[in-house]
């Protein structure tokens, strides 16, 4: 049985026999489109794809200098490539990058086909609190844009990666993260690179912070892109199960 | 007397094939005759939640049960004008209870049967419509079409309401229409929303419906068109539709217009003359 046949025979709608009309049972040769008159339409509403926004909140402070920032850059590039390789994810996933410090929107929201990963440079201190607030503001304004344009969207993700501890006031940001998580305004993930203040991350994020093993940024972004592919494919009501990255083979530990 | 010509089909979404999920959409439709001898068209669509283990079963039961409840209602001599929100609410509760019993029998949680439900009970000038969750009911004449309700979703595209939710009755949308011409009616699951509705203006995309209703009105015999049913299924399975939606999609179309151009043809003639 070739694929098409399998497709058709599986799709035979037996259930339609609920009607009191005596229907001709569909047989296996049902698949031939020649047997039926033309019916349908070629005119569809031209609705844009629903969007799946993700913000990468990346530590670009001085302590990331050297191999860490290089690996992070390579990870972001891989992330773009993985999204591009997926027909749906490339149209639905929108990426923004907020770097700290200093806090700056390095990349506003774009779909993968317009995403040209910038070279991140490591400099300055770690104003984590201000960076989170900038990211959440950016996210809110993106949601407003979606709403104004009638574009449906998935629950946004904020993905924080840091190797240090905040050098600014972070308690307001933590409160906003907790509020947002409880209202399901977004999902906030935090990843600590070697040297990160996991104790503070745990106070900011309601999800358990993950520790990146070694400098496995590429594995991390591979996981992120495949998770986003699942989300961008999900349909109403779906709770998308994510692969646990904190397994012996995974890129993270708790 | 006006008689309804109708088609219905559902089709597995490409994302469901990719994830080895069955089609979780279900449709039912039929016509009955009320006490005054008028023909009434009944239709329901349910879309099972992608993440629920037995949701295609939930959708199947929900559509069958709602149809039988509507039939029972008219069998008791009741009339369309008395079909109230309260009665529909009771039906939904009973259906949810029945699914719950089934869940107990199968040792699964009610959540595993989660599905949306939309239904319509129509005469050419009156109708009762109700809906929990997304999907759309579109009515009109060949001039213009409009959605009875705008599809309800949560904030996010992958969230909606289900009849199995504890609070489902709060999300029940109900509308009764009197003395307004309803020549054509369509019910669809959310898989077709992006093709058939204009989200920016919250209107129906009439060009989607017009050619199909026009063709349906030319069917030689009233009732369910077996031939067009298969054509509709082919259409829903087709690349031009699947390129635009990867979700399950289902569609019921019914018209009480009749544009018979010539003498009724035999089925064989139809097939040979109008083949693609």
């Amino acid at each position: 049985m070739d694929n098409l046949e399998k497709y058709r025979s599986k799709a035979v709608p037996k259930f339609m026999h609920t009607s009191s009309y005596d229907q001709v049972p569909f047989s296996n040769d049902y698949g031939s489109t020649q047997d039926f008159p033309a019916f349908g339409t070629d005119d569809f509403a031209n609705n844009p794809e629903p969007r799946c926004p993700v913000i990468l909140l990346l530590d670009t402070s001085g302590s990331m200098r050297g191999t860490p920032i290089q690996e992070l850059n390579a990870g972001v590039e891989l992330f773009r490539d993985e999204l591009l390789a997926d027909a749906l994810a490339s149209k639905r996933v929108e990426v923004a990058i907020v770097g700290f410090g200093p806090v700056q929107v390095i990349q506003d929201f774009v779909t993968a086909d317009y995403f040209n990963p910038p070279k991140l440079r490591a400099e300055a201190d770690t104003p984590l609190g201000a960076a989170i607030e900038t990211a959440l503001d950016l996210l809110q304004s993106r949601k407003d844009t979606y709403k104004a344009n009638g574009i449906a969207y998935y629950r946004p993700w904020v993905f924080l990666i840091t190797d240090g501890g905040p050098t600014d006031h972070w308690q307001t940001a933590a409160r906003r993260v907790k509020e947002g998580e409880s209202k399901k305004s977004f999902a906030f993930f935090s990843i600590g690179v070697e040297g990160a203040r996991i104790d503070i991350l745990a106070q900011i994020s309601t999800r358990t912070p993950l520790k990146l093993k070694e400098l496995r940024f590429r594995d991390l972004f591979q996981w992120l892109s495949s998770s986003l592919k699942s989300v961008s494919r999900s349909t109403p009501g779906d709770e998308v199960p994510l692969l646990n990255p904190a397994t012996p083979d995974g890129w993270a530990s708790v | 007397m006006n008689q309804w010509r109708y088609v219905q089909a559902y089709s597995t979404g490409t994302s469901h094939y990719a994830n080895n999920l069955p089609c979780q959409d279900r449709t039912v439709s039929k016509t009955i005759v009320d006490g005054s001898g008028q023909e009434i068209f009944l239709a329901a669509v349910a879309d099972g939640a992608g993440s629920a283990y037995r949701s295609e079963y939930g959708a199947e039961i929900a559509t069958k049960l709602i149809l039988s409840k509507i039939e029972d209602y008219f069998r008791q001599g009741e009339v369309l004008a008395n079909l109230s929100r309260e009665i529909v609410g009771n039906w939904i509760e009973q259906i949810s209870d029945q699914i719950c019993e089934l869940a107990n029998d199968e040792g699964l949680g009610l959540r595993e049967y989660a599905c949306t439900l939309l239904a319509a009970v129509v005469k050419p000038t009156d109708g009762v419509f109700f809906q929990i969750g997304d999907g759309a009911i579109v009515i009109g004449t060949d001039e213009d079409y409009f959605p009875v309700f705008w599809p309800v979703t949560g904030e996010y595209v992958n969230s909606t309401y289900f009849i199995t939710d504890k609070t489902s009755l709060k999300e029940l949308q109900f509308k009764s229409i009197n003395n307004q011409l309803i020549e054509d009616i369509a019910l669809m699951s959310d898989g077709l929303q992006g093709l058939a509705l204009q989200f920016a203006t919250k209107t129906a995309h009439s060009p989607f419906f017009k050619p199909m209703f026009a063709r349906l009105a030319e069917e030689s015999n009233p009732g369910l068109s077996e031939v067009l049913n298969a054509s509709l299924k082919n259409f829903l399975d087709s690349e031009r539709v699947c390129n635009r939606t990867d979700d399950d999609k289902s569609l019921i179309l019914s018209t009480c217009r009749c544009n018979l151009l010539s003498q009724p043809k035999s089925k064989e003639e139809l097939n040979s003359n109008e083949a693609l």
Side-chain angles (χ1 to χ4, degrees):
Chain A
M1 196 187 257
D2 67 30
N3 274 342
L4 187 67
E5 263 175 37
K6 229 184 284 171
Y7 179 91
R8 302 235 184 246
S9 59
K10 189 178 163 196
V12 168
K14 292 196 184 92
F15 180 67
M16 284 199 264
H17 293 269
T18 48
S19 157
S20 60
Y21 288 82
D22 192 19
Q23 296 180 348
V24 179
F26 295 111
S27 61
N28 264 343
D29 57 14
Y30 163 77
S32 162
T33 53
Q34 305 303 318
D35 296 342
F36 304 107
F39 188 75
T41 175
D42 278 319
D43 196 324
F44 304 130
N46 196 21
N47 279 318
E49 294 288 331
R51 298 300 205 279
C52 182
V54 55
I55 294 190
L56 303 177
L57 190 46
L58 304 178
D59 190 335
T60 51
S61 64
S63 56
M64 288 286 286
R65 208 164 285 148
T67 320
I69 200 81
Q70 277 170 23
E71 286 302 305
L72 178 59
N73 276 319
V76 175
E77 291 231 10
L78 176 74
F79 179 55
R80 191 267 319 264
D81 293 346
E82 290 286 328
L83 291 178
L84 258 186
D86 185 277
L88 270 180
S90 67
K91 280 181 278 183
R92 293 182 175 178
V93 177
E94 287 194 330
V95 186
I97 299 177
V98 173
F100 59 97
V103 177
Q104 51 184 327
V105 178
I106 297 173
Q107 171 70 64
D108 204 346
F109 282 104
V110 279
T111 48
D113 34 353
Y114 295 103
F115 178 34
N116 195 8
K119 267 269 164 291
L120 303 170
R121 283 180 304 137
E123 53 197 359
D125 54 359
T126 315
L128 182 55
I132 291 175
E133 296 208 54
T134 302
L136 298 187
D137 292 343
L138 185 67
L139 194 54
Q140 188 53 51
S141 87
R142 192 63 184 168
K143 280 189 181 184
D144 293 342
T145 306
Y146 292 150
K147 283 177 197 156
N149 291 285
I151 294 176
Y153 55 96
Y154 296 89
R155 186 174 175 183
W157 283 20
V158 182
F159 218 79
L160 165 66
I161 301 176
T162 180
D163 75 335
T167 51
D168 66 346
H169 173 83
W170 51 270
Q171 285 79 2
T172 312
R175 199 167 56 243
R176 285 183 64 183
V177 170
K178 290 199 168 63
E179 265 175 33
E181 278 276 7
S182 72
K183 284 195 291 192
K184 298 197 169 184
S185 300
F186 50 76
F188 191 98
F189 299 88
S190 56
I191 317 296
V193 183
E194 181 69 50
R197 289 285 305 272
I198 297 286
D199 56 324
I200 293 180
L201 291 184
Q203 294 175 62
I204 293 174
S205 170
T206 54
R207 293 161 202 270
T208 312
L210 296 171
K211 284 183 232 159
L212 183 69
K213 288 184 196 162
E214 298 133 29
L215 290 172
R216 292 171 63 176
F217 285 107
R218 293 174 213 225
D219 293 340
L220 181 164
F221 279 103
Q222 179 92 51
W223 175 89
L224 181 59
S225 66
S226 70
S227 302
L228 287 169
K229 284 178 206 168
S230 307
V231 171
S232 68
R233 254 173 190 68
S234 61
T235 43
D238 286 6
E239 290 266 335
V240 181
L242 300 178
L243 270 179
N244 181 7
T247 58
D249 296 337
W251 51 266
S253 59
V254 176
Chain B
M1 188 186 83
N2 289 83
Q3 288 185 295
W4 294 93
R5 288 165 161 74
Y6 57 98
V7 282
Q8 61 165 15
Y10 55 86
S11 156
T12 312
T14 50
S15 67
H16 283 232
Y17 277 114
N19 296 320
N20 275 324
L21 286 173
C23 180
Q24 293 158 328
D25 279 9
R26 290 296 185 271
T27 58
V28 293
S29 59
K30 74 183 294 185
T31 52
I32 56 168
V33 176
D34 72 359
S36 67
Q38 260 200 312
E39 201 178 79
I40 302 181
F41 177 69
L42 318 178
V45 168
D47 177 358
S51 55
Y53 178 61
R54 290 281 276 161
S55 68
E56 73 277 14
Y57 201 34
E60 181 156 339
I61 293 167
T63 47
K64 278 181 170 170
L65 286 178
I66 197 67
L67 194 71
S68 75
K69 291 197 184 298
I70 300 169
E71 283 185 84
D72 286 347
Y73 174 82
F74 286 105
R75 211 173 282 138
Q76 288 157 13
E78 272 292 356
V79 292
L80 185 57
N82 291 342
L83 183 49
S84 64
R85 184 190 174 92
E86 201 187 344
I87 294 171
V88 170
N90 281 335
W91 289 346
I92 302 281
E93 275 185 328
Q94 288 166 18
I95 291 172
S96 180
D97 287 348
Q98 273 173 279
I99 296 178
C100 195
E101 276 173 35
L102 183 91
N104 289 337
D105 288 349
E106 294 194 341
L108 292 169
L110 188 56
R111 175 70 182 76
E112 300 302 335
Y113 302 81
C115 65
T116 66
L117 181 65
L118 38 162
V121 187
V122 281
K123 294 199 284 192
T125 54
D126 305 282
V128 166
F129 310 88
F130 52 93
Q131 176 167 344
I132 289 178
D134 55 15
I137 305 173
V138 170
I139 58 173
T141 63
D142 62 339
E143 295 288 307
D144 197 20
Y145 296 98
F146 60 91
V148 178
F149 313 107
W150 191 250
V152 184
T153 53
E155 180 183 4
Y156 304 125
V157 64
N158 52 348
S159 62
T160 188
Y161 302 105
F162 302 111
I163 57 164
T164 44
D165 294 344
K166 280 198 180 73
T167 56
S168 67
L169 283 189
K170 259 193 268 169
E171 309 303 336
L172 172 65
Q173 302 199 84
F174 176 93
K175 192 167 189 174
S176 182
I177 287 178
N178 307 104
N179 292 318
Q180 178 189 329
L181 196 57
I182 306 170
E183 289 182 329
D184 300 341
I185 173 164
L187 289 84
M188 74 192 75
S189 64
D190 76 306
L192 285 178
Q193 279 174 192
L195 285 68
L197 301 179
Q198 295 283 7
F199 280 71
T201 49
K202 296 199 171 183
T203 53
H205 184 63
S206 292
F208 177 85
F209 298 101
K210 277 186 184 175
M212 291 193 281
F213 280 121
R215 176 63 187 85
L216 189 58
E218 289 170 8
E219 269 302 88
S220 45
N221 297 311
L224 181 76
S225 167
E226 291 162 18
V227 175
L228 290 189
N229 237 15
S231 300
L232 176 61
K233 178 75 169 69
N234 281 340
F235 169 63
L236 295 182
D237 285 342
S238 71
E239 214 178 305
R240 62 195 157 148
V241 170
C242 291
N243 279 344
R244 301 291 308 275
T245 176
D246 61 343
D247 195 4
D248 289 346
K249 55 264 170 193
S250 47
L251 184 60
I252 301 175
L253 299 167
S254 183
T255 181
C256 63
R257 290 185 285 136
C258 172
N259 293 338
L260 266 188
L261 302 170
S262 57
Q263 289 298 309
K265 297 171 190 168
S266 73
K267 208 189 301 167
E268 289 69 31
E269 262 183 285
L270 256 181
N271 286 346
S272 59
N273 290 348
E274 298 183 32
L276 272 170

